[in-house]
Amino acid sequence: MDKTSFRQHISSQFNAELEDVRQRVMAMGGLVEQQIVDATIALMDLDAGMAEQVNLNDFKINQLEVSIDEECSRILARRQPTASDLRLVYAVIKTITDLERIGDEAGKIARMAKDLASQERIHENMREVQHLSRQVSQMVRDALDAFARMDTDAALNVARQDRDVDREYEALLRQCITFMMEDPRTIGRVMDIIWCVRALERIGDHAKNISEYVVYFVKGKDIRHLSLEAAEKEITQG
């Protein structure tokens, strides 16, 4: 968020509290991004050690969510913010919830990687899974950048990326189903890959949610559950 938006506050301490919360959200986002990368490496390399590290690091993300949520509660109680300040605190609380859930999805991928590491190595669909992972990682990065700058145009671009992720997810599911039909012996292994692909698609959904909170803070408009075209119209009219 542009620090110039803090100038309206008479209390410099209030400014500092808001900036501290913003910085902690970005730090949490950085950890979550790394979790996605590490979980994907564990999956691609079938590295059980890396997968275990992802699950251990999930504790740090959970702790950050709790501490940021507590700080937001203190701000609400002490400062009783209104208007854009209240929307900011609301956006932060919602954002850290989605970040924590992204961390959970990365943990699911890591657990599937550990399971696959104990089985026969398979190569089908793995390159496509890696590409999907890169797409959703970029979505998370872009959503956090939109949050940092409170940029509605960047936020809308994240929503556009979500359409591409959904299409690739559906194509991967079809490939996996075809592969299982051709060789039923691989059903167990391919199902693990399907769960990983599903987790990646959900990460994209959470990144989109974060972008919607940016729009809510800047425009005061709730675009959740609206189509992309309707959201664009709402922002343009605002």
Side-chain angles (χ1 to χ4, degrees):
M1 181 172 58
D2 187 347
K3 293 181 183 179
T4 58
S5 64
F6 293 144
R7 293 176 183 170
Q8 60 183 304
H9 302 124
I10 296 175
S11 170
S12 60
Q13 181 61 34
F14 191 12
N15 293 347
E17 289 170 2
L18 292 175
E19 175 61 14
D20 179 63
V21 165
R22 186 189 75 89
Q23 291 291 345
R24 291 168 73 183
V25 171
M26 298 307 296
M28 183 179 179
L31 285 176
V32 167
E33 281 187 59
Q34 191 60 50
Q35 286 286 85
I36 300 170
V37 172
D38 291 347
T40 302
I41 291 173
L43 179 64
M44 298 304 299
D45 296 342
L46 299 183
D47 186 336
M50 176 68 80
E52 182 62 28
Q53 189 61 47
V54 170
N55 286 317
L56 289 174
N57 287 338
D58 189 52
F59 175 76
K60 298 177 183 178
I61 294 172
N62 293 341
Q63 287 295 99
L64 271 172
E65 182 198 19
V66 171
S67 64
I68 296 171
D69 189 59
E70 288 175 346
E71 180 58 26
C72 287
S73 296
R74 286 192 289 269
I75 289 174
L76 289 172
R78 286 198 307 261
R79 304 297 180 179
Q80 298 182 350
T82 59
S84 63
D85 293 331
L86 181 59
R87 294 201 305 271
L88 172 60
V89 176
Y90 171 85
V92 166
I93 292 171
K94 298 290 284 185
T95 293
I96 61 174
T97 298
D98 276 283
L99 287 174
E100 190 275 333
R101 289 175 181 170
I102 290 173
D104 288 344
E105 297 297 339
K108 291 178 186 176
I109 296 171
R111 288 192 292 275
M112 293 302 103
K114 284 184 68 175
D115 188 44
L116 285 165
S118 65
Q119 304 177 38
E120 179 184 349
R121 180 179 290 269
I122 59 175
H123 299 282
E124 288 77 1
N125 305 110
M126 298 303 279
R127 182 175 298 178
E128 291 86 347
V129 173
Q130 186 176 37
H131 183 260
L132 181 61
S133 175
R134 288 172 179 162
Q135 282 184 293
V136 299
S137 294
Q138 188 63 51
M139 280 186 70
V140 173
R141 188 172 303 113
D142 291 348
L144 288 168
D145 180 64
F147 178 87
R149 296 185 292 112
M150 288 302 170
D151 185 333
T152 56
D153 290 335
L156 274 179
N157 189 52
V158 173
R160 295 186 188 101
Q161 292 177 62
D162 189 53
R163 284 186 168 181
D164 295 334
V165 166
D166 288 344
R167 282 194 291 267
E168 185 148 350
Y169 164 68
E170 290 167 3
L172 267 169
L173 282 186
R174 288 193 293 270
Q175 290 179 28
C176 287
I177 290 170
T178 299
F179 188 54
M180 288 188 292
M181 291 174 64
E182 290 175 350
D183 188 356
R185 295 172 300 175
T186 64
I187 288 176
R189 298 195 300 273
V190 176
M191 283 303 300
D192 281 343
I193 295 176
I194 287 176
W195 284 117
C196 291
V197 171
R198 173 59 177 162
L200 289 170
E201 190 271 339
R202 289 294 298 140
I203 289 173
D205 288 343
H206 289 302
K208 180 185 176 185
N209 290 347
I210 293 171
S211 72
E212 291 170 347
Y213 308 144
V214 171
V215 173
Y216 175 73
F217 168 71
V218 176
K219 298 291 185 177
K221 294 185 176 182
D222 190 345
I223 63 169
R224 292 176 297 176
H225 314 303
L226 294 182
S227 67
L228 178 59
E229 292 75 16
E232 289 173 338
K233 185 176 180 180
E234 280 286 318
I235 292 174
T236 302
Q237 290 177 343

